[in-house]
Amino acid sequence: VVNVGVTLTQIIPTPGWISADFHVHSVKSVDSDMDLAPRVASFAVEGVDLLTATDHNHVADYGPAIEAQNLEDWLSSAVGLELTSLE
């Protein structure tokens, strides 16, 4: 494991607006292999303000991964679920 220090800088000011993704899958879902921590990092570097976990048939919470990476000032999350039948 290599730790790299970075500084996030928002280039385009967007007061009064947020960017969000309301359909986010992680390794907890059958159709994704990305763990929660790198998923959070990928949204932070893209400038997304809010992501909603919607793994298939699994309730995931990105909050602890956001906190572990000290990204609370940059990123928020909501817990969700995509309930699907695998038939």
Side-chain angles (χ1 to χ4, degrees):
V1 175
V2 175
N3 290 325
V4 177
V6 297
T7 301
L8 296 178
T9 304
Q10 186 172 17
I11 295 174
I12 301 172
T14 55
W17 294 86
I18 67 167
S19 62
D21 190 333
F22 298 105
H23 191 120
V24 181
H25 292 183
S26 72
V27 71
K28 307 280 186 182
S29 195
V30 298
D31 58 353
S32 176
D33 61 356
M34 188 174 282
D35 203 4
L36 278 70
R39 177 64 76 199
V40 162
S42 73
F43 277 92
V45 300
E46 290 291 333
V48 175
D49 302 305
L50 172 68
L51 64 129
T52 302
T54 56
D55 290 309
H56 292 273
N57 305 321
H58 182 87
V59 177
D61 183 0
Y62 289 103
I66 292 169
E67 291 174 12
Q69 297 179 66
N70 297 315
L71 293 170
E72 301 93 342
D73 291 342
W74 295 95
L75 187 60
S76 297
S77 67
V79 176
L81 169 77
E82 182 173 337
L83 183 60
T84 55
S85 170
L86 300 177
E87 295 178 14

